[in-house]
Amino acid sequence: MSEPLIQCRSLTRTYTRGTETITPLERLDLDVMPGEFLALMGPSGSGKTTLLNLIAGIDRPTSGTLHIGGIDVGGLSRSRLADWRSRAVGYIFQLYNLVPVLTAYENVELPLLLHRMSGADRHSRVAAALDLVGITDRADHYPRQLSGGQEQRVAIARAIVADPAILVADEPTGDLDKASAAAIMELLGRLSREAGKTLIMVSHDPACAAHAGRILHLDKGRLVEHAAATVGAAGVTT
Amino acid sequence: MQTLPFTYSARNLGRSRLRLLLSVMGSAMVVLLVLAAGGFVRGMTTGLERTGDEANVMIVGIGSEESIERSEIPASVASLLDASVPGLRTAFGTTFVSPEVQVQLPVVAGAGSPEGRLVLVRGVTPTALLVHSQCQIAQGHWPRSGHNEILVGQLAHTKLGVSAAALAVGSTVNIDGRDWIVSGRLAAPRSVIDAEIWMPLADLKEATRRLTDSCVIATLGTGPGAAEFADVAAFARQRLDLEITAMTESSYYARLAGFFAPVRAVVWITAGLIGLGGVFGGLNTMYAAFASRVRELGMLQCLGFRRSAIVLSMLQESCLATASGALLASAAAVFFLDGVAVQFSMGAFGLLIDAPALLVGLGAGLLLGLLGTIAPAYRCLKLPISESLKSI
Ligand SMILES: Nc1ncnc2c1ncn2[C@@H]1O[C@H](COP(=O)(O)OP(=O)(O)O)[C@@H](O)[C@H]1O
Ligand SMILES: [Mg+2]
């Protein structure tokens, strides 16, 4: 049995607004093994995005610890955290967040500009990522010339191009029709199985969550056991 | 620091045509204004500087060093100087010694104001053209004494507020109640003499009923045996009876230029204030532009780009727009502002859009981009990344 890649211990995030304190995440314990595909479900406002942002290193815990690959992510300085993110995590957004003035190719190339490498090396990596998501023929297109499903493919290519161990996805199919959503889920499943990525995905859709190896339910900032959900964990249904 | 590609900044400009137009045109207006102010100041300063010649010495009455128009010296000073100080410049047996009367007189010409405007009238002898080497007769002939003839400078019409045609050769000009005929046009580019009226010394003395000169201007010789300023100064000191003093012509005009320093300061301050208005206008456009991109800025930080890299990219973007405006303004200034005549109490001068003025203009354009970006960039980047990503 290997070590967990992600270790949350008593992870808490609170916001104070005036005298009011909101606790979207409360004393959460969670281990995620390398290569695991984890789906987070739960009602709106239950703290799913908050947890995802903590794991992605764009937010910091108020208390508790978060270790990822042995690194105390919560203790990194702002700039170290940015460097860590650029190497360790790929973020996939519900609304893709592609830069409209850059082509698909240039969007995918963006994360690589943060790393020292030759132009040829960069080119081959971008080409490989575009190929993996099946969008090579649209490399010169601008986001407005792509469908939602294609945009999300480009965004996934951008998330994997620097070869991070962890991918986080916040409702990646939330803005897509059923067919495109299924195709995106198939792609994410492939990334988990074939590329060995550790994947944490927030989704409302049980059909999407079913692609995951494990499903967790959040409610009011706490994990709740859901026997029914864990049963079909490994199954891939469409 | 890993920077964002320049193409990102450049293409971001194309996101809103209207904003691009606003920032380019806004910057062009502000820079044009700064160039006008710069051209004014440069024109005025070089006008005064170029009038004064390093090699020229002026002799004026003691106590009148500040204003030649108040100075009165005996008419004999010119010949005494010629006889007493060897080593002044000569050509064709003539020493470069020019006795002059300088007086501001009301002049009426063409359709100008009937009361007339004060113009500097210089009574001169033909040696004036030797001493003032920057002056030439561009048209017509030297005024003959006793024929009521005058030379008018090329910018004199600006000073008088009339068209150039009103002072054409052959036209009549009324000076202090008496009519004179323009016999020629005097050209002294970029010098305040360009706005003066010259007439024979004897005629001006007769017309103003004075016996004294205002000053004597002499050019120092060159080479061995040449007179120095000290020699002329010594002559002035020794002739206590004449009550005269010597100074270099350039120091006189430098002092005049200093006298107008407050005017220049006011011009700069006005341009600065209007420029500041431009900055505040720019702040709004920039803020609107960046605010609509907050989610994208959050995504870039999420990828690992530093806020400094993002600010740099924003600066590139806005400076690209304002610099384009500045270039447009510079071209417009060179074509439409350079040489435009402005009148002031000393005479008139042309706006001078030269390299220093253009440099100031371009600097103003970049400063506009810089100031207009910092505050909006700060507002858009101070949000935590997780909140930026929620922005719509
Ligand atoms: N920056 C913030 N300030 C205050 N409250 C916040 C902030 N971000 C999230 N919250 C609150 O935390 C709770 C959980 O939010 P979130 O993790 O986004 O939920 P979801 O499960 O829908 O993704 C919500 O009640 C939300 O209002
Ligand atoms: Mg959410």
Side-chain angles (χ1 to χ4, degrees):
Chain A
M1 189 75 194
S2 58
E3 284 279 293
L5 180 63
I6 303 169
Q7 260 189 340
C8 307
R9 290 291 172 271
S10 217
L11 198 61
T12 304
R13 179 69 168 104
T14 59
Y15 294 103
T16 35
R17 219 180 257 152
T19 54
E20 198 185 357
T21 307
I22 305 163
T23 309
L25 213 60
E26 198 170 3
R27 303 183 64 81
L28 181 124
D29 294 312
L30 174 67
D31 283 351
V32 182
M33 301 307 283
E36 210 179 342
F37 185 172
L38 179 72
L40 287 174
M41 298 190 75
S44 187
S46 57
K48 305 181 295 294
T49 299
T50 304
L51 176 59
L52 214 58
N53 286 347
L54 287 172
I55 292 171
I58 61 174
D59 193 9
R60 280 166 213 266
T62 311
S63 66
T65 58
L66 172 62
H67 283 87
I68 300 180
I71 296 169
D72 179 9
V73 175
L76 293 179
S77 71
R78 189 186 180 98
S79 58
R80 297 223 163 191
L81 197 58
D83 285 340
W84 177 82
R85 275 200 304 275
S86 72
R87 277 180 285 105
V89 200
Y91 205 127
I92 300 162
F93 307 91
Q94 178 178 356
L95 296 173
Y96 333 123
N97 284 341
L98 296 180
V99 178
V101 296
L102 298 181
T103 62
Y105 182 96
E106 290 163 336
N107 267 287
V108 175
E109 191 182 26
L110 217 43
L112 295 184
L113 301 177
L114 290 160
H115 302 280
R116 227 175 271 280
M117 64 177 69
S118 71
D121 199 5
R122 200 160 64 222
H123 176 77
S124 66
R125 284 218 202 191
V126 175
L130 287 170
D131 186 47
L132 191 67
V133 301
I135 205 98
T136 306
D137 55 333
R138 299 297 163 106
D140 293 333
H141 286 51
Y142 286 91
R144 71 186 132 76
Q145 300 168 314
L146 300 173
S147 70
Q150 289 169 330
E151 279 198 77
Q152 193 59 298
R153 282 172 187 278
V154 175
I156 292 171
R158 180 180 64 190
I160 60 173
V161 74
D163 199 24
I166 302 170
L167 292 179
V168 298
D170 197 349
E171 306 191 34
T173 59
D175 221 45
L176 296 175
D177 59 82
K178 266 206 158 53
S180 306
I184 290 295
M185 284 318 302
E186 195 276 324
L187 174 59
L188 289 178
R190 207 146 47 80
L191 284 174
S192 158
R193 285 192 311 277
E194 292 168 18
K197 301 289 177 203
T198 304
L199 206 74
I200 301 166
M201 175 185 78
V202 168
S203 182
H204 278 304
D205 183 356
C208 289
H211 286 257
R214 178 155 63 124
I215 301 176
L216 287 176
H217 286 258
L218 269 174
D219 193 20
K220 298 200 184 85
R222 291 168 182 273
L223 285 176
V224 290
E225 292 308 324
H226 229 280
T230 28
V231 171
V236 178
T237 49
T238 40
Chain B
M1 183 181 72
Q2 305 306 315
T3 55
L4 283 154
F6 183 73
T7 44
Y8 175 63
S9 315
R11 287 191 215 158
N12 271 334
L13 280 175
R15 283 170 105 146
S16 159
R17 296 278 148 82
L18 180 67
R19 179 179 72 96
L20 183 61
L21 195 76
L22 277 177
S23 35
V24 170
M25 285 303 146
S27 145
M29 304 273 267
V30 170
V31 171
L32 200 61
L33 185 93
V34 168
L35 281 173
F40 180 91
V41 168
R42 293 284 306 155
M44 175 186 268
T45 323
T46 46
L48 289 167
E49 272 168 7
R50 292 221 193 155
T51 311
D53 189 328
E54 279 294 329
N56 279 357
V57 181
M58 296 174 89
I59 291 180
V60 299
I62 286 176
S64 302
E65 294 90 340
E66 306 279 313
S67 165
I68 297 179
E69 290 147 46
R70 272 197 279 117
S71 167
E72 294 202 53
I73 61 174
S76 57
V77 171
S79 50
L80 286 170
L81 176 68
D82 189 3
S84 318
V85 179
L88 294 175
R89 191 164 167 199
T90 58
F92 314 112
T94 308
T95 314
F96 283 37
V97 171
S98 169
E100 299 181 358
V101 167
Q102 292 186 21
V103 57
Q104 300 258 9
L105 293 175
V107 176
V108 183
S113 78
E115 305 90 63
R117 284 198 191 165
L118 285 177
V119 173
L120 191 98
V121 181
R122 218 185 261 249
V124 289
T125 62
T127 52
L129 281 181
L130 298 176
V131 167
H132 301 289
S133 54
Q134 74 273 48
C135 301
Q136 282 177 331
I137 296 179
Q139 213 190 338
H141 62 83
W142 183 259
R144 291 166 299 169
S145 186
H147 286 76
N148 286 345
E149 286 181 341
I150 55 170
L151 284 179
V152 294
Q154 287 180 316
L155 286 183
H157 66 277
T158 304
K159 178 70 189 163
L160 286 169
V162 297
S163 69
L167 296 182
V169 173
S171 47
T172 302
V173 173
N174 186 284
I175 302 176
D176 202 16
R178 187 166 146 185
D179 282 347
W180 300 77
I181 297 157
V182 176
S183 72
R185 306 271 296 185
L186 186 66
R190 298 257 178 250
S191 137
V192 290
I193 292 178
D194 234 6
E196 294 180 0
I197 292 178
W198 284 15
M199 64 169 72
L201 180 62
D203 292 17
L204 183 56
K205 282 180 164 178
E206 189 257 321
T208 55
R209 283 178 224 93
R210 69 186 273 172
L211 299 169
T212 56
D213 291 342
S214 303
C215 64
V216 170
I217 300 174
T219 306
L220 300 171
T222 50
E228 289 176 13
F229 172 73
D231 301 328
V232 182
F235 160 76
R237 259 198 320 277
Q238 282 154 15
R239 293 302 302 255
L240 291 171
D241 55 320
L242 300 175
E243 296 183 46
I244 54 174
T245 182
M247 60 187 170
T248 62
E249 195 181 31
S250 45
S251 72
Y252 173 73
Y253 283 100
R255 201 162 343 147
L256 271 189
F259 176 71
F260 287 103
V263 175
R264 293 195 294 271
V266 166
V267 167
W268 275 132
I269 290 168
T270 310
L273 286 178
I274 298 178
L276 211 63
V279 168
F280 280 111
L283 283 178
N284 270 321
T285 24
M286 292 301 173
Y287 182 67
F290 298 145
S292 65
R293 269 186 236 160
V294 166
R295 192 153 50 89
E296 182 176 315
L297 301 179
M299 181 277 294
L300 290 173
Q301 292 178 76
C302 184
L303 291 185
F305 284 100
R306 302 288 161 78
R307 287 186 295 182
S308 49
I310 297 174
V311 171
L312 191 72
S313 172
M314 290 166 145
L315 281 176
Q316 277 176 358
E317 183 182 336
S318 21
C319 286
L320 216 54
T322 56
S324 316
L327 284 180
L328 280 181
S330 301
V334 167
F335 284 114
F336 302 117
L337 285 184
D338 192 34
V340 167
V342 181
Q343 69 119 348
F344 76 129
S345 58
M346 268 300 296
F349 61 89
L351 295 181
L352 178 55
I353 309 293
D354 57 357
L358 287 174
L359 226 57
V360 168
L362 206 62
L366 289 177
L367 196 70
L368 212 60
L370 209 70
L371 294 180
T373 306
I374 295 296
Y378 173 78
R379 273 179 77 181
C380 293
L381 286 171
K382 71 171 183 204
L383 284 178
I385 304 173
S386 55
E387 291 203 31
S388 303
L389 288 173
K390 279 186 210 152
S391 143
I392 34 138

